[in-house]
């Protein structure tokens, strides 16, 4: 069978990335330019700056990606692009670029849901992985437990009712004085802290619910820090980071394990930026083993935003003939 080569573009937030993927599973190139250092100064992503930086960089990233793959324009079978969820202006940069390429080369345009991409990151790391399985998506914007029935076919079992888990990590990190994005800093600080130092609340919601709520623990950390300040007691940042992380990971693990047992799946995948969290990775593996479940998570480089994962998801759409017209619009709050 002829190889299918897809060039994928991702610009939904603060990474400009272009990748070339063979048969949905093999990375020929995956060039990522991250704007984190620019947004750090503002404590979070500034949408207008993100769009401008994407415009400045995309040509270069595209050229580099094509060169690294060793391929030519004529080798490409389709152009894939993230069309949501994300920042509208940022999405539009990648989409305009993708449309121009698809039109110029006379090949199909594949519209990819960013969350679908995070899930598909695992196909790049594990060539034999196939649905069905349970997925836990944990990123800066999303916290979902999903029953993955087939490629691109999902049933959402639970989602956050307020903050996304990455958002909670970032907000707590900010109050602890860490730069944006704070998740990795909390992860690092927690390694030197006592996870039993402070008993932050675990919010499980109604019995049997796979939904999440992280606003309670976020407020609880803020209240703790304020009360310590008022009492003039010095706070051990590492202990706060470790105790916060432990509470969040407890809830994530309990829900994802019970979801897989309920749906009778033997395999769990985790995806999204927070899937890079070392405690989540380690503890989920341990807990899953007790229940005879297998856990898959992408390498760190494929956890945070990248175009390779978009190319992997796009391959299964290509096979089903799910293409977009050139009037495709961005959908900033696109659901799965
Ligand atoms: O998937 P992603 O790159 O962007 C979105 O689509 O949102 O996720 C970014 C999120 C940020 O909130 C960041 O703090 C978090 O992932 N993150 C982590 C870690 N690495 C990244 N959170 C906890 N521990 C980490 N090691
Ligand atoms: Zn993402």
């Amino acid at each position: 069978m002829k190889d299918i080569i897809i060039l994928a573009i991702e610009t939904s937030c603060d990474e400009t990335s272009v990748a070339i993927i063979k048969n949905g599973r093999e990375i020929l190139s995956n060039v990522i330019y991250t704007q984190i250092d620019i947004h750090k100064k503002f404590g979070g992503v500034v949408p207008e700056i993100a769009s401008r930086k994407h415009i400045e960089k995309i040509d270069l990233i595209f050229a580099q990606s094509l060169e690294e793959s060793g391929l030519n324009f004529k080798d490409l079978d389709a152009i894939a692009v993230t069309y949501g969820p994300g920042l509208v202006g940022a999405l539009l940069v990648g989409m305009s670029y993708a449309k121009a390429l698809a039109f110029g080369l006379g090949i199909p345009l594949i519209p990819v849901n960013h969350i679908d991409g995070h899930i598909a990151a695992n196909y790049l790391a594990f060539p034999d992985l196939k649905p069905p399985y349970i997925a836990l998506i944990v990123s800066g914007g999303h916290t979902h437990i999903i029953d993955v029935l087939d490629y691109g076919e999902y049933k959402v079992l639970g989602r956050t009712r307020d903050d996304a888990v990455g958002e909670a990590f970032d907000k707590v990190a900010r109050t602890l004085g860490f730069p944006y994005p704070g998740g990795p800093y909390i992860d690092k600080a927690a390694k030197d802290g006592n996870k039993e130092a402070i008993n932050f609340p675990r919010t499980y919601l109604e019995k049997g619910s796979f939904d999440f709520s992280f606003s309670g623990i976020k407020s609880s950390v803020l209240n703790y820090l304020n009360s310590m300040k008022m009492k003039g007691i010095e706070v051990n940042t590492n202990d706060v980071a470790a105790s916060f992380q432990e509470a969040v990971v407890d809830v994530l693990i309990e829900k994802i394990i019970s979801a897989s047992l309920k749906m009778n799946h033997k395999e769990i995948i985790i995806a999204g930026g927070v899937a890079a969290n070392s405690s989540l990775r380690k503890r989920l593996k341990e807990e899953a083993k007790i229940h005879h479940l297998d856990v898959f998570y992408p390498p760190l480089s494929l956890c945070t935003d990248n175009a390779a994962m978009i190319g992997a998801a796009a391959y299964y759409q290509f096979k089903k003939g799910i293409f977009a017209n050139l009037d495709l619009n961005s959908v900033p709050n696109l659901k799965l």
Side-chain angles (χ1 to χ4, degrees):
M1 215 173 65
K2 181 193 170 306
D3 288 333
I4 302 299
I5 308 287
I6 297 179
L7 182 138
I9 300 179
E10 155 66 41
T11 63
S12 67
C13 191
D14 56 350
E15 268 87 28
T16 316
S17 180
V18 179
I20 298 180
I21 303 298
K22 183 167 142 186
N23 299 328
R25 299 272 177 168
E26 194 183 327
I27 301 176
L28 302 183
S29 64
N30 183 27
V31 182
I32 306 165
Y33 164 74
T34 178
Q35 310 173 356
I36 283 178
D37 279 345
I38 297 159
H39 299 288
K40 241 182 195 156
K41 296 185 204 95
F42 305 96
V45 178
V46 183
E48 179 61 26
I49 296 177
S51 318
R52 283 168 189 267
K53 279 287 152 195
H54 286 310
I55 293 175
E56 276 172 40
K57 293 289 173 186
I58 194 156
D59 248 337
L60 193 75
I61 303 299
F62 165 76
Q64 206 176 324
S65 191
L66 197 62
E67 193 188 324
E68 275 181 25
S69 72
L71 299 181
N72 269 307
F73 281 123
K74 65 171 176 23
D75 299 315
L76 305 177
D77 293 294
I79 306 294
V81 67
T82 307
Y83 75 110
L87 303 168
V88 61
L91 287 164
L92 287 173
V93 177
M95 291 175 66
S96 312
Y97 208 89
K99 285 179 189 178
L101 279 173
F103 179 69
L105 298 172
I107 56 179
L109 177 69
I110 308 177
V112 179
N113 182 317
H114 182 79
I115 309 296
D116 200 3
H118 274 301
I119 295 173
N122 285 282
Y123 299 139
L124 298 165
F126 305 102
D128 299 326
L129 176 69
K130 15 177 161 13
Y133 52 77
I134 285 278
L136 173 69
I137 316 297
V138 277
S139 75
H142 305 273
T143 312
H144 284 78
I145 291 186
I146 297 165
D147 187 356
V148 181
L149 308 164
D150 200 346
Y151 295 107
E153 265 183 57
Y154 308 107
K155 188 164 167 232
V156 178
L157 303 178
R159 51 159 53 96
T160 181
R161 293 187 188 166
D162 40 55
D163 289 351
V165 62
E167 208 177 338
F169 265 94
D170 292 344
K171 285 180 184 165
V172 166
R174 194 170 171 170
T175 50
L176 289 174
F178 294 122
Y180 169 84
Y185 292 91
I186 295 221
D187 193 349
K188 194 155 172 276
K191 291 197 167 83
D192 298 319
N194 172 8
K195 57 186 192 306
E196 280 151 23
I198 310 136
N199 187 20
F200 290 126
R202 277 90 171 139
T203 307
Y204 291 100
L205 301 167
E206 310 82 47
K207 198 171 175 351
S209 169
F210 296 124
D211 280 352
F212 296 97
S213 167
F214 294 106
S215 62
I217 185 165
K218 185 188 67 190
S219 311
S220 181
V221 176
L222 297 188
N223 291 342
Y224 172 82
L225 294 174
N226 283 335
S227 89
M228 287 304 182
K229 199 171 170 191
M230 267 154 50
K231 290 181 201 153
I233 302 173
E234 203 185 320
V235 168
N236 182 326
T237 305
N238 295 343
D239 284 355
V240 177
S243 303
F244 162 76
Q245 181 172 280
E246 183 76 358
V248 169
V249 170
D250 273 354
V251 176
L252 292 174
I253 290 186
E254 141 59 40
K255 299 227 175 207
I256 189 68
I257 297 277
S258 39
S260 9
L261 295 176
K262 183 171 178 207
M263 305 318 285
N264 227 346
H265 287 314
K266 290 275 162 270
E267 293 174 330
I268 298 174
I269 70 119
I270 52 173
V274 185
N277 185 267
S278 59
S279 168
L280 176 63
R281 291 163 90 99
K282 181 166 171 280
R283 289 194 46 211
L284 183 57
K285 270 244 149 100
E286 289 165 0
E287 195 65 30
K289 206 168 166 199
I290 297 171
H291 297 280
H292 308 289
L293 304 168
D294 281 328
V295 179
F296 299 87
Y297 39 66
L300 294 180
S301 60
L302 295 176
C303 282
T304 41
D305 292 349
N306 65 86
M309 67 186 197
I310 303 302
Y315 173 72
Y316 296 97
Q317 292 184 216
F318 183 94
K319 294 221 301 190
K320 290 181 188 167
I322 303 174
F323 303 132
N325 291 325
L326 293 177
D327 62 358
L328 174 71
N329 209 343
S330 68
V331 185
N333 60 354
L334 183 65
K335 303 271 181 291
L336 258 188

